[in-house]
Every structure is written in C-alpha cells, then in structure tokens.
Amino acid sequence: MNYRGRICPLYFLRCHLIKKVISTILLILTILGLTGCGEKKLARYQSEFIMLFDTSTRIVGYTRTKEEFSRYSQLIYDSLKEYHILYDIYNDYEGINNIKTINDNAGIRPVKVDKRIIDLLKFSKEVYEKTRGKTNVAYGAVLKIWHDYRTQGLEDPENASLPPFEELKTASEHTNIEDIIIDEENSTVFLKDPLMSLDVGAVAKGYATEQVSKTAKGKGMNSALLSVGGNVRALNNNVTTNQPWNVGIQNPDPEAENPVFKVVKLDDGALVTSGDYERFYTVDGKRYNHIIDPATMYPAEYFTSVSIICKDSGLADALSTALFCMPFEEGLEFINSLPEVEAMWIFKDKTVRYSENFESFIKEGQ
Ligand code: ADP
Ligand code: MG
C-alpha cells in the first residue's frame, strides 16, 4: 500500500507486522461516551481503527446513544475498507479488480472495474488539469523507482542510495495521463502504454474520505470529525456548541514544545497536509521525501509542509501534493485563483506563509 499518512516509519513497520497477523480485523480501540448519557442527550463518542490506507482512522462524533455511534463507525469502517481494497496498488484480492489489476494489465487489455475506480480516475484526470500536471496519478513508473530505493534505504541505511538519473528519465517517458483510457459505458480502464502504471497515493485517501463522509452524512451522521491518517473531514459543525470543530495541524518539528502547530476551525470542510517529515529516507546525510516533483523527477524541496483547507477532502489531498511541488510565488497565485481554497506553507527555515484567507480559519489566540 502506498497510503501511509502522517506516521513514522517505526509505527508503520509495527502496523505492517500487526497487519500480517490480523489482516482485516476492525480494531475499535475506544468507544467512549465522554459526556452525558441520557436517552435524548447528545454525547460525544470516539473510535479508532488501524489498517486502512496503511494508517489510523479516528472518528469523533455526537450521537444520542453509543449504539448509534457504533453503527456509524462500522459503516465508515466498512465503506473505507472497500475503497482501500479498490484503490490498492500493491495487493491482489480474490475476485476483485483493483488499481493493481489495471496496472498488471497495462498494454494488454481493458479491465472491468467498480464505478468507484472509474470515478477516482475521472477525478484524477481533472486534478491533473487543475494542478498543471503536478499531481499525476499516471506517474507510477517514476514513483515506483523512488519507492523501491526508499524501502531499501530504510531497511539498510548504510547502503542507501539514489536512483540513477537515466532510470528516472526512461520511466518518466511512460507517465502520460492521456494514456489512461476510461470507457464508462463498459466500465473498463485500459492503460495504453505497457510500461506505465497508476499510483493513486496522492489522491485516494482524501477522495475516499470525502465519499465516505458523504455516505455517513446521508445516513444521518450529523456532527462528526473523521480523520484518515491526517486527512481530516468535518461533517457539519460541533452540534453541542454550534461552533466549528477545532482541528490541530501537526507541528513538523518533532522537537517543538507544542506538537500542535496551529488550531484551525472547520465547519463542514476538509483539512489536508502534505509534509516531508514522516515519509523519507536519508542518503549521505540528506533527506529525500516521498513527494516527487514531475518537473525534476526528484523529491520536492521547497517546504516542510503545506496544508490545504477547502470543502472537498479529495481536492484538498490532490492540491496539497501539487502545492508541495510548486515554488511559493507560483503556488500562492495558483491557490488565490481557486475559489474557497486556502493554504498554509511552512518553509524549511520555519517561516510560515498564508493564502489570502487562511488566517480567518485559525482559532483566536493561536
Ligand atoms: P500522504 O500520502 O503522505 O498523505 P500525499 O497526499 O502528498 O501524502 O501523497 C504522497 C503520495 O503520492 C506518495 O507516496 C506517492 O505515492 C504519490 N506521489 C508523490 N508525488 C506525486 C506526484 N507528483 N503526483 C502524483 N502522485 C504523487
Ligand atoms: Mg495528497
């Protein structure tokens, strides 16, 4: 899987081991009623589970009973699990055609897939246009090389190395988004170029979070906060205070006194961060993160993190990856040109910059 969120490599390794043992078991670590338990009174409940999208999912919500919250929690888990399987690029599942199946059949044949895959890929093509080619789900050939070198470098840090430029260059010739042929009528996807592959790691988690949030809302979950590995989506506001939810943005500096960098107010919207501080490997003392700028074929190095606030969590995810790959001036102009999208950039020297209205989302006194 390629959806590791804001978690450290050690945590990931641990997750990976656990995953092997109890592959698909839902772990509800906590289901807590923290305030009043009366029949009619709304109470705050919380659940957490691991495994999906190789990260942890947290749900906080207000419902009248614990059972009602458990039902929503289960619904979210079941739905996210289906997305996780469909959008997986590393694993096969019996009887299911997923993104990996499409990759395995590149240049061979169209693959019949679930509508949720067609929708993700249509969304990804739009995103490619919107982000001026920076977020490219057809960039799998190059991303796979970096992924393999990173994995090897983490396993054997002494011998960590960088991919040869020529190898990257050759792979980059097989990353044309137009070569993803979507046939909606027959519900098939065909990769025209046999050497290309899809990597949906930049968009899948946010897109799935958005779809699942909509489903939960449609079923009556009226006040909740869903976080899938840091892709945060607020369902309406906090019903007990009638105020937006307060959501912390992680401090990229692990040594910092306060692990929360800023607290922002979210009312029925999304907050997504892309950063260089959790998924990286080190070669000759220099860090190489997991977001690759298609312009250079190398990890983008402009910032430590970029956070996006907008209504749609799928768009926020796609934009955070894209913005991470753009110089600040270009990114600022880009974000300010998009309606209802705000961004915060944290530079390597800890300088912070905001788009036009980002600061209006920061909680007073933060
Ligand atoms: P995270 O998954 O850590 O939350 P992102 O949303 O920024 O972070 O996605 C990063 C993942 O997206 C990478 O692990 C890789 O699989 C993929 N990726 C990296 N660079 C690009 C790019 N330029 N275009 C599309 N996908 C990318
Ligand atoms: Mg992203």
Side-chain angles (χ1 to χ4, degrees):
M1 289 290 298
N2 205 14
Y3 311 128
R4 276 151 243 158
R6 271 142 280 282
I7 48 176
C8 67
L10 204 69
Y11 180 82
F12 170 68
L13 278 178
R14 215 169 58 223
C15 281
H16 197 68
L17 280 177
I18 299 169
K19 193 163 136 191
K20 287 218 155 130
V21 186
I22 35 173
S23 56
T24 55
I25 300 171
L26 164 65
L27 286 187
I28 296 199
L29 300 178
T30 46
I31 294 192
L32 299 172
L34 298 180
T35 57
C37 292
E39 260 297 285
K40 290 269 153 60
K41 225 168 148 199
L42 285 162
R44 184 183 194 271
Y45 297 97
Q46 171 176 327
S47 67
E48 184 166 350
F49 40 84
I50 55 176
M51 316 301 184
L52 303 182
F53 289 94
D54 265 357
T55 185
S56 69
T57 297
R58 241 163 55 86
I59 309 165
V60 175
Y62 287 94
T63 51
R64 300 215 176 271
T65 63
K66 189 168 146 184
E67 290 67 35
E68 189 188 355
F69 181 80
S70 295
R71 261 200 320 277
Y72 289 134
S73 190
Q74 187 70 45
L75 170 88
I76 290 171
Y77 174 80
D78 291 343
S79 179
L80 270 179
K81 187 175 165 194
E82 288 179 17
Y83 280 103
H84 163 101
I85 289 170
L86 291 171
Y87 297 166
D88 197 335
I89 67 171
Y90 292 117
N91 300 290
D92 294 308
Y93 301 85
E94 218 184 309
I96 289 174
N97 287 341
N98 62 7
I99 301 275
K100 179 175 184 292
T101 323
I102 298 173
N103 286 342
D104 290 345
N105 285 285
I108 302 171
R109 66 173 178 98
V111 177
K112 202 161 187 72
V113 289
D114 187 282
K115 183 168 182 305
R116 285 166 287 187
I117 291 183
I118 303 266
D119 290 344
L120 175 76
L121 295 179
K122 279 171 62 188
F123 171 76
S124 300
K125 284 193 171 210
E126 283 168 30
V127 150
Y128 178 88
E129 294 302 325
K130 208 172 232 162
T131 64
R132 308 164 178 181
K134 289 292 189 190
T135 303
N136 179 8
V137 299
Y139 211 54
V142 174
L143 294 172
K144 186 182 179 317
I145 297 173
W146 278 106
H147 178 266
D148 292 349
Y149 274 78
R150 189 170 63 247
T151 307
Q152 214 162 7
L154 288 171
E155 273 166 16
D156 182 9
E158 300 268 292
N159 294 308
S161 63
L162 295 174
F165 183 80
E166 275 314 310
E167 203 180 322
L168 294 171
K169 184 91 192 66
T170 306
S172 75
E173 282 153 21
H174 304 281
T175 57
N176 186 351
I177 194 122
E178 298 301 327
D179 286 340
I180 306 174
I181 312 298
I182 300 173
D183 179 343
E184 280 195 79
E185 214 163 282
N186 294 307
S187 202
T188 63
V189 178
F190 176 52
L191 302 184
K192 223 161 87 178
D193 179 343
L195 297 181
M196 79 186 289
S197 70
L198 302 175
D199 181 328
V200 293
V203 292
K205 204 165 39 169
Y207 183 84
T209 304
E210 184 63 28
Q211 306 315 312
V212 168
S213 298
K214 287 199 173 112
T215 306
K217 251 173 114 176
K219 297 268 180 196
M221 196 178 203
N222 284 324
S223 181
L225 200 58
L226 173 62
S227 167
V228 184
N231 276 245
V232 181
R233 175 69 157 88
L235 279 63
N236 301 321
N237 60 12
N238 179 329
V239 69
T240 53
T241 57
N242 208 19
Q243 295 291 318
W245 293 92
N246 294 324
V247 183
I249 298 179
Q250 189 184 326
N251 198 323
D253 179 2
E255 320 262 272
E257 219 172 279
N258 191 348
V260 176
F261 188 75
K262 293 279 174 205
V263 176
V264 297
K265 300 173 287 181
L266 269 196
D267 179 355
D268 207 33
L271 166 75
V272 176
T273 299
S274 280
D276 72 353
Y277 44 91
E278 275 171 353
R279 283 174 60 194
F280 61 84
Y281 77 122
T282 307
V283 183
D284 296 331
K286 187 171 156 39
R287 282 178 175 202
Y288 293 86
N289 75 78
H290 69 310
I291 300 176
I292 309 300
D293 181 353
T296 60
M297 301 179 300
Y298 263 64
E301 291 190 323
Y302 300 109
F303 319 104
T304 294
S305 78
V306 176
S307 298
I308 301 280
I309 293 177
C310 68
K311 284 286 168 205
D312 183 300
S313 146
L315 183 62
D317 196 0
L319 290 178
S320 73
T321 308
L323 216 56
F324 199 82
C325 297
M326 288 182 196
F328 173 69
E329 293 302 335
E330 183 187 344
L332 181 67
E333 174 266 314
F334 171 58
I335 288 299
N336 286 338
S337 75
L338 300 173
E340 297 195 309
V341 180
E342 300 299 335
M344 175 181 78
W345 293 259
I346 306 178
F347 289 71
K348 289 192 190 295
D349 67 0
K350 298 186 183 161
T351 310
V352 184
R353 299 294 295 271
Y354 303 104
S355 63
E356 236 158 57
N357 291 315
F358 190 94
E359 281 168 289
S360 66
F361 286 89
I362 296 178
K363 194 171 160 57
E364 301 74 25
Q366 292 289 311

PDB file of all heavy atoms in Angstrom, residues 1 34 42 56 83 103 138-139 155 178 235 237 240 263-266 284 297 302:
ATOM      1  N   MET A   1       0.833  -1.201   0.000  1.00  0.00           N
ATOM      2  CA  MET A   1       0.000   0.000   0.000  1.00  0.00           C
ATOM      3  C   MET A   1       0.857   1.237   0.000  1.00  0.00           C
ATOM      4  O   MET A   1       1.950   1.254   0.479  1.00  0.00           O
ATOM      5  CB  MET A   1      -0.867   0.011   1.259  1.00  0.00           C
ATOM      6  CG  MET A   1      -1.954  -1.016   1.232  1.00  0.00           C
ATOM      7  SD  MET A   1      -3.208  -0.618   0.057  1.00  0.00           S
ATOM      8  CE  MET A   1      -3.775   0.913   0.738  1.00  0.00           C
ATOM      9  N   LEU A  34     -18.133  10.399  26.492  1.00  0.00           N
ATOM     10  CA  LEU A  34     -17.396  11.259  27.400  1.00  0.00           C
ATOM     11  C   LEU A  34     -18.278  12.258  28.146  1.00  0.00           C
ATOM     12  O   LEU A  34     -17.897  12.787  29.163  1.00  0.00           O
ATOM     13  CB  LEU A  34     -16.304  12.024  26.628  1.00  0.00           C
ATOM     14  CG  LEU A  34     -15.263  11.128  25.974  1.00  0.00           C
ATOM     15  CD1 LEU A  34     -14.244  11.962  25.233  1.00  0.00           C
ATOM     16  CD2 LEU A  34     -14.555  10.251  26.985  1.00  0.00           C
ATOM     17  N   LEU A  42     -27.332  14.462  23.544  1.00  0.00           N
ATOM     18  CA  LEU A  42     -26.237  14.096  22.645  1.00  0.00           C
ATOM     19  C   LEU A  42     -24.968  13.895  23.449  1.00  0.00           C
ATOM     20  O   LEU A  42     -24.670  14.677  24.347  1.00  0.00           O
ATOM     21  CB  LEU A  42     -26.014  15.213  21.621  1.00  0.00           C
ATOM     22  CG  LEU A  42     -27.052  15.287  20.512  1.00  0.00           C
ATOM     23  CD1 LEU A  42     -26.992  16.645  19.831  1.00  0.00           C
ATOM     24  CD2 LEU A  42     -26.825  14.175  19.504  1.00  0.00           C
ATOM     25  N   SER A  56      -3.960   5.213  10.526  1.00  0.00           N
ATOM     26  CA  SER A  56      -5.031   5.052  11.500  1.00  0.00           C
ATOM     27  C   SER A  56      -6.160   6.034  11.201  1.00  0.00           C
ATOM     28  O   SER A  56      -5.925   7.140  10.723  1.00  0.00           O
ATOM     29  CB  SER A  56      -4.501   5.238  12.922  1.00  0.00           C
ATOM     30  OG  SER A  56      -4.160   6.571  13.120  1.00  0.00           O
ATOM     31  N   TYR A  83     -13.011   0.952  -0.268  1.00  0.00           N
ATOM     32  CA  TYR A  83     -12.165   1.872  -1.039  1.00  0.00           C
ATOM     33  C   TYR A  83     -10.701   1.460  -0.974  1.00  0.00           C
ATOM     34  O   TYR A  83      -9.977   1.507  -1.966  1.00  0.00           O
ATOM     35  CB  TYR A  83     -12.329   3.305  -0.513  1.00  0.00           C
ATOM     36  CG  TYR A  83     -13.577   3.983  -1.026  1.00  0.00           C
ATOM     37  CD1 TYR A  83     -14.703   4.118  -0.233  1.00  0.00           C
ATOM     38  CD2 TYR A  83     -13.632   4.491  -2.323  1.00  0.00           C
ATOM     39  CE1 TYR A  83     -15.853   4.733  -0.701  1.00  0.00           C
ATOM     40  CE2 TYR A  83     -14.773   5.110  -2.809  1.00  0.00           C
ATOM     41  CZ  TYR A  83     -15.884   5.229  -1.999  1.00  0.00           C
ATOM     42  OH  TYR A  83     -17.014   5.836  -2.478  1.00  0.00           O
ATOM     43  N   ASN A 103      -2.955  -1.976 -13.420  1.00  0.00           N
ATOM     44  CA  ASN A 103      -1.505  -1.868 -13.688  1.00  0.00           C
ATOM     45  C   ASN A 103      -0.943  -3.158 -14.287  1.00  0.00           C
ATOM     46  O   ASN A 103      -0.141  -3.130 -15.227  1.00  0.00           O
ATOM     47  CB  ASN A 103      -0.748  -1.541 -12.401  1.00  0.00           C
ATOM     48  CG  ASN A 103      -0.942  -0.097 -11.976  1.00  0.00           C
ATOM     49  OD1 ASN A 103      -1.354   0.742 -12.786  1.00  0.00           O
ATOM     50  ND2 ASN A 103      -0.652   0.203 -10.729  1.00  0.00           N
ATOM     51  N   ALA A 138      -0.691   9.093 -13.111  1.00  0.00           N
ATOM     52  CA  ALA A 138      -0.031   8.225 -14.099  1.00  0.00           C
ATOM     53  C   ALA A 138       1.497   8.247 -13.917  1.00  0.00           C
ATOM     54  O   ALA A 138       2.235   7.780 -14.778  1.00  0.00           O
ATOM     55  CB  ALA A 138      -0.396   8.674 -15.517  1.00  0.00           C
ATOM     56  N   TYR A 139       1.930   8.771 -12.782  1.00  0.00           N
ATOM     57  CA  TYR A 139       3.366   8.912 -12.547  1.00  0.00           C
ATOM     58  C   TYR A 139       3.977   7.677 -11.866  1.00  0.00           C
ATOM     59  O   TYR A 139       5.102   7.702 -11.369  1.00  0.00           O
ATOM     60  CB  TYR A 139       3.594  10.167 -11.684  1.00  0.00           C
ATOM     61  CG  TYR A 139       4.908  10.852 -11.947  1.00  0.00           C
ATOM     62  CD1 TYR A 139       5.275  11.247 -13.226  1.00  0.00           C
ATOM     63  CD2 TYR A 139       5.798  11.100 -10.901  1.00  0.00           C
ATOM     64  CE1 TYR A 139       6.491  11.870 -13.463  1.00  0.00           C
ATOM     65  CE2 TYR A 139       7.016  11.726 -11.133  1.00  0.00           C
ATOM     66  CZ  TYR A 139       7.346  12.100 -12.415  1.00  0.00           C
ATOM     67  OH  TYR A 139       8.552  12.717 -12.652  1.00  0.00           O
ATOM     68  N   GLU A 155      15.565  -0.069   5.006  1.00  0.00           N
ATOM     69  CA  GLU A 155      15.927  -1.396   5.518  1.00  0.00           C
ATOM     70  C   GLU A 155      17.426  -1.497   5.781  1.00  0.00           C
ATOM     71  O   GLU A 155      17.858  -2.150   6.711  1.00  0.00           O
ATOM     72  CB  GLU A 155      15.529  -2.472   4.499  1.00  0.00           C
ATOM     73  CG  GLU A 155      14.100  -2.926   4.683  1.00  0.00           C
ATOM     74  CD  GLU A 155      13.587  -3.736   3.496  1.00  0.00           C
ATOM     75  OE1 GLU A 155      14.412  -4.201   2.673  1.00  0.00           O
ATOM     76  OE2 GLU A 155      12.352  -3.878   3.390  1.00  0.00           O
ATOM     77  N   GLU A 178      -2.966  10.921 -20.543  1.00  0.00           N
ATOM     78  CA  GLU A 178      -3.884  10.648 -21.663  1.00  0.00           C
ATOM     79  C   GLU A 178      -3.911   9.162 -22.026  1.00  0.00           C
ATOM     80  O   GLU A 178      -4.815   8.695 -22.715  1.00  0.00           O
ATOM     81  CB  GLU A 178      -3.479  11.452 -22.914  1.00  0.00           C
ATOM     82  CG  GLU A 178      -3.524  12.969 -22.745  1.00  0.00           C
ATOM     83  CD  GLU A 178      -4.913  13.456 -22.357  1.00  0.00           C
ATOM     84  OE1 GLU A 178      -5.895  12.828 -22.802  1.00  0.00           O
ATOM     85  OE2 GLU A 178      -5.011  14.425 -21.587  1.00  0.00           O
ATOM     86  N   LEU A 235     -17.904  16.795   9.405  1.00  0.00           N
ATOM     87  CA  LEU A 235     -19.291  16.649   8.954  1.00  0.00           C
ATOM     88  C   LEU A 235     -20.104  17.666   9.747  1.00  0.00           C
ATOM     89  O   LEU A 235     -20.314  17.502  10.955  1.00  0.00           O
ATOM     90  CB  LEU A 235     -19.820  15.243   9.229  1.00  0.00           C
ATOM     91  CG  LEU A 235     -19.429  14.140   8.235  1.00  0.00           C
ATOM     92  CD1 LEU A 235     -17.936  13.906   8.208  1.00  0.00           C
ATOM     93  CD2 LEU A 235     -20.143  12.839   8.594  1.00  0.00           C
ATOM     94  N   ASN A 237     -20.951  21.163  11.787  1.00  0.00           N
ATOM     95  CA  ASN A 237     -20.153  21.713  12.885  1.00  0.00           C
ATOM     96  C   ASN A 237     -20.346  20.861  14.144  1.00  0.00           C
ATOM     97  O   ASN A 237     -20.977  19.813  14.110  1.00  0.00           O
ATOM     98  CB  ASN A 237     -20.482  23.197  13.113  1.00  0.00           C
ATOM     99  CG  ASN A 237     -21.946  23.382  13.470  1.00  0.00           C
ATOM    100  OD1 ASN A 237     -22.641  22.413  13.761  1.00  0.00           O
ATOM    101  ND2 ASN A 237     -22.403  24.617  13.445  1.00  0.00           N
ATOM    102  N   THR A 240     -22.981  20.398  19.655  1.00  0.00           N
ATOM    103  CA  THR A 240     -23.238  20.802  21.045  1.00  0.00           C
ATOM    104  C   THR A 240     -22.894  22.270  21.302  1.00  0.00           C
ATOM    105  O   THR A 240     -23.475  22.902  22.171  1.00  0.00           O
ATOM    106  CB  THR A 240     -22.447  19.939  22.055  1.00  0.00           C
ATOM    107  OG1 THR A 240     -21.079  19.962  21.674  1.00  0.00           O
ATOM    108  CG2 THR A 240     -22.964  18.513  22.069  1.00  0.00           C
ATOM    109  N   VAL A 263      -4.225  25.634  15.479  1.00  0.00           N
ATOM    110  CA  VAL A 263      -5.548  25.016  15.552  1.00  0.00           C
ATOM    111  C   VAL A 263      -6.453  25.777  14.593  1.00  0.00           C
ATOM    112  O   VAL A 263      -6.517  27.010  14.636  1.00  0.00           O
ATOM    113  CB  VAL A 263      -6.121  25.078  16.984  1.00  0.00           C
ATOM    114  CG1 VAL A 263      -7.543  24.526  17.021  1.00  0.00           C
ATOM    115  CG2 VAL A 263      -5.229  24.305  17.944  1.00  0.00           C
ATOM    116  N   VAL A 264      -7.099  25.032  13.704  1.00  0.00           N
ATOM    117  CA  VAL A 264      -7.998  25.708  12.757  1.00  0.00           C
ATOM    118  C   VAL A 264      -9.445  25.279  12.981  1.00  0.00           C
ATOM    119  O   VAL A 264      -9.722  24.208  13.533  1.00  0.00           O
ATOM    120  CB  VAL A 264      -7.597  25.458  11.275  1.00  0.00           C
ATOM    121  CG1 VAL A 264      -6.230  26.018  10.985  1.00  0.00           C
ATOM    122  CG2 VAL A 264      -7.669  23.989  10.929  1.00  0.00           C
ATOM    123  N   LYS A 265     -10.350  26.154  12.550  1.00  0.00           N
ATOM    124  CA  LYS A 265     -11.788  25.896  12.734  1.00  0.00           C
ATOM    125  C   LYS A 265     -12.355  25.311  11.444  1.00  0.00           C
ATOM    126  O   LYS A 265     -12.222  25.917  10.385  1.00  0.00           O
ATOM    127  CB  LYS A 265     -12.499  27.215  13.058  1.00  0.00           C
ATOM    128  CG  LYS A 265     -11.984  27.889  14.328  1.00  0.00           C
ATOM    129  CD  LYS A 265     -12.579  29.261  14.528  1.00  0.00           C
ATOM    130  CE  LYS A 265     -11.991  30.265  13.554  1.00  0.00           C
ATOM    131  NZ  LYS A 265     -12.497  31.625  13.681  1.00  0.00           N
ATOM    132  N   LEU A 266     -12.971  24.179  11.568  1.00  0.00           N
ATOM    133  CA  LEU A 266     -13.524  23.505  10.381  1.00  0.00           C
ATOM    134  C   LEU A 266     -15.021  23.325  10.514  1.00  0.00           C
ATOM    135  O   LEU A 266     -15.498  22.702  11.472  1.00  0.00           O
ATOM    136  CB  LEU A 266     -12.913  22.124  10.220  1.00  0.00           C
ATOM    137  CG  LEU A 266     -11.662  21.924   9.382  1.00  0.00           C
ATOM    138  CD1 LEU A 266     -11.516  20.445   9.070  1.00  0.00           C
ATOM    139  CD2 LEU A 266     -11.662  22.742   8.118  1.00  0.00           C
ATOM    140  N   ASP A 284      23.520   9.845   2.352  1.00  0.00           N
ATOM    141  CA  ASP A 284      24.660  10.712   2.665  1.00  0.00           C
ATOM    142  C   ASP A 284      24.231  11.921   3.503  1.00  0.00           C
ATOM    143  O   ASP A 284      24.587  13.074   3.212  1.00  0.00           O
ATOM    144  CB  ASP A 284      25.341  11.207   1.372  1.00  0.00           C
ATOM    145  CG  ASP A 284      25.930  10.039   0.589  1.00  0.00           C
ATOM    146  OD1 ASP A 284      26.298   9.029   1.225  1.00  0.00           O
ATOM    147  OD2 ASP A 284      25.998  10.131  -0.656  1.00  0.00           O
ATOM    148  N   MET A 297      11.727  15.204 -11.387  1.00  0.00           N
ATOM    149  CA  MET A 297      11.715  13.764 -11.109  1.00  0.00           C
ATOM    150  C   MET A 297      12.354  13.455  -9.752  1.00  0.00           C
ATOM    151  O   MET A 297      12.646  12.302  -9.444  1.00  0.00           O
ATOM    152  CB  MET A 297      12.434  12.968 -12.199  1.00  0.00           C
ATOM    153  CG  MET A 297      11.838  13.150 -13.567  1.00  0.00           C
ATOM    154  SD  MET A 297      12.728  12.230 -14.825  1.00  0.00           S
ATOM    155  CE  MET A 297      14.362  12.930 -14.710  1.00  0.00           C
ATOM    156  N   TYR A 302      10.847  22.481  -1.587  1.00  0.00           N
ATOM    157  CA  TYR A 302      10.549  23.877  -1.265  1.00  0.00           C
ATOM    158  C   TYR A 302      10.133  24.077   0.192  1.00  0.00           C
ATOM    159  O   TYR A 302      10.446  25.095   0.791  1.00  0.00           O
ATOM    160  CB  TYR A 302       9.418  24.396  -2.162  1.00  0.00           C
ATOM    161  CG  TYR A 302       9.724  24.355  -3.633  1.00  0.00           C
ATOM    162  CD1 TYR A 302       9.089  23.436  -4.473  1.00  0.00           C
ATOM    163  CD2 TYR A 302      10.663  25.236  -4.187  1.00  0.00           C
ATOM    164  CE1 TYR A 302       9.358  23.402  -5.826  1.00  0.00           C
ATOM    165  CE2 TYR A 302      10.935  25.202  -5.541  1.00  0.00           C
ATOM    166  CZ  TYR A 302      10.277  24.277  -6.356  1.00  0.00           C
ATOM    167  OH  TYR A 302      10.558  24.238  -7.703  1.00  0.00           O
TER     168      TYR A 302
END
